Amino acid sequence: VLPFSAITLDRAATLRTDPEWVATQLRDERARIVAASSAGVLADGASLLRGPVELGVAEPILLGLEAESPLFAVDLDRLQQPERLIDGGAVIGLREAGAQLAPAEAGLAAYLASLLAWHRRHGFCANCGARSEVRSAGMMRECPRCGAQHFPRVDPVVIMTVENSGRLLLGRHAGWPPGRYSVLAGFVAPGETIEAAIAREVGEESGIEIESSAFVTSQPWPFPASLMLGCEAVARDGEPKPLDGELEDVRWFSADAIAAAEQANASLRLPPRISIARFLIERWARRTIGS
Ligand SMILES: [Zn+2]
């Protein structure tokens, strides 16, 4: 299971539209809060820290139900006395959360952080500029002036292995640690299919032409609210070149070179284990060496 991908709570999608039901959940003695700030999530060991509702909740943002227990989200950046809640836990970055929390807790951390980041940045109506209000226990904001409804954003990103004759196309950004290469990726543009986004991104970043592509698996990526659409593509033969200034280098790698990247003295370094990029690269190398 990819980090950030496992989530077990019930989002209470239909119940949450009833404000009276939400108010009842807030009064439920089993109700708990989990918290995040713009720096990360509040954790306690391998779990998110769960605190009593009394310590927070100005605008009720309900993540969902854990078994029967309501779980609300609190923004530490907006809390009057965040230290009362933080006591007993520690704010950890999301990359750390992805690596160290139990899978379902890391999934919850991604959901919590992405949702709160959206509320933090969308306090005003994009249509008329008035202050908007929380609805559906946090799954919507509504403008009291013009009535516009705004929903939490998720930004789709294509990320793909690109193969030609048993070689894999990898590129590197200038700021990365020495030797690190990864698969290419980019945001899906308005009006674009996943397949078209793959062909465009690979063409823009390397000049390589795509023959065919297929979806593999996905991963929520809470930086702040991407959804990584993991794909595999087959390319035409060609000499890749960094074209659009995004990459410092882009080239073909053999499956053997990728398999050797784990060794201590290898010159090639793969992306971190929490990323779908690493999963896609290793999946491709395993399949290519195995065939
Ligand atoms: Zn408005």
Side-chain angles (χ1 to χ4, degrees):
V1 179
L2 285 164
F4 305 128
S5 303
I7 195 164
T8 51
L9 93 172
D10 169 6
R11 294 177 188 240
T14 49
L15 290 167
R16 66 168 58 242
T17 57
D18 175 3
E20 275 181 38
W21 180 83
V22 176
T24 310
Q25 300 311 300
L26 258 184
R27 292 192 299 268
D28 191 313
E29 61 181 18
R30 295 167 298 183
R32 290 291 178 273
I33 52 178
V34 286
S37 69
S38 46
V41 293
L42 183 59
D44 176 13
S47 303
L48 294 179
L49 182 86
R50 283 159 177 73
V53 168
E54 304 83 78
L55 292 182
V57 190
E59 298 170 303
I61 296 176
L62 178 71
L63 294 173
L65 302 171
E66 288 188 306
E68 303 279 287
S69 307
L71 189 64
F72 289 89
V74 167
D75 191 341
L76 288 172
D77 294 346
R78 292 179 171 185
L79 216 53
Q80 295 292 337
Q81 294 178 291
E83 62 285 353
R84 290 177 64 204
L85 181 57
I86 293 170
D87 187 34
V91 174
I92 59 171
L94 281 162
R95 281 169 208 277
E96 216 178 326
Q100 97 180 31
L101 297 185
E105 292 293 293
L108 191 58
Y111 173 29
L112 166 71
S114 288
L115 186 62
L116 289 183
W118 178 74
H119 282 289
R120 212 175 283 136
R121 293 167 181 206
H122 293 79
F124 294 87
C125 176
N127 189 45
C128 78
R131 187 177 285 281
S132 60
E133 293 168 356
V134 172
R135 296 282 186 274
S136 286
M139 279 305 138
M140 196 226 288
R141 298 189 71 96
E142 194 167 44
C143 175
R145 185 152 81 192
C146 75
Q149 298 182 328
H150 305 281
F151 295 89
R153 280 182 67 147
V154 176
D155 301 322
V157 174
V158 288
I159 180 163
M160 52 274 157
T161 53
V162 175
E163 181 198 79
N164 174 266
S165 308
R167 303 172 301 168
L168 186 66
L169 186 69
L170 299 178
R172 69 168 269 114
H173 288 263
W176 283 359
R180 181 186 290 175
Y181 281 77
S182 187
V183 285
L184 307 190
F187 287 103
V188 179
E192 196 170 48
T193 61
I194 292 175
E195 295 85 345
I198 290 170
R200 178 182 53 74
E201 279 292 340
V202 174
E204 283 174 6
E205 292 186 9
S206 70
I208 293 297
E209 281 181 52
I210 295 298
E211 223 165 63
S212 65
S213 62
F215 176 75
V216 176
T217 190
S218 61
Q219 181 191 34
W221 192 243
F223 304 97
S226 292
L227 175 62
M228 308 305 283
L229 304 168
C231 297
E232 55 184 5
V234 175
R236 297 204 171 87
D237 193 13
E239 204 42 57
K241 281 185 214 67
L243 291 180
D244 64 358
E246 251 192 67
L247 297 177
E248 167 184 272
D249 187 28
V250 57
R251 57 170 90 165
W252 297 111
F253 287 86
S254 70
D256 289 339
I258 288 164
E262 277 307 273
Q263 290 160 17
N265 59 351
S267 55
L268 172 64
R269 295 280 164 205
L270 299 180
R273 292 199 177 278
I274 64 163
S275 65
I276 192 172
R278 177 66 170 259
F279 167 82
L280 291 170
I281 293 169
E282 289 187 337
R283 174 181 178 272
W284 176 85
R286 254 193 334 269
R287 289 176 161 213
T288 305
I289 290 167
S291 65

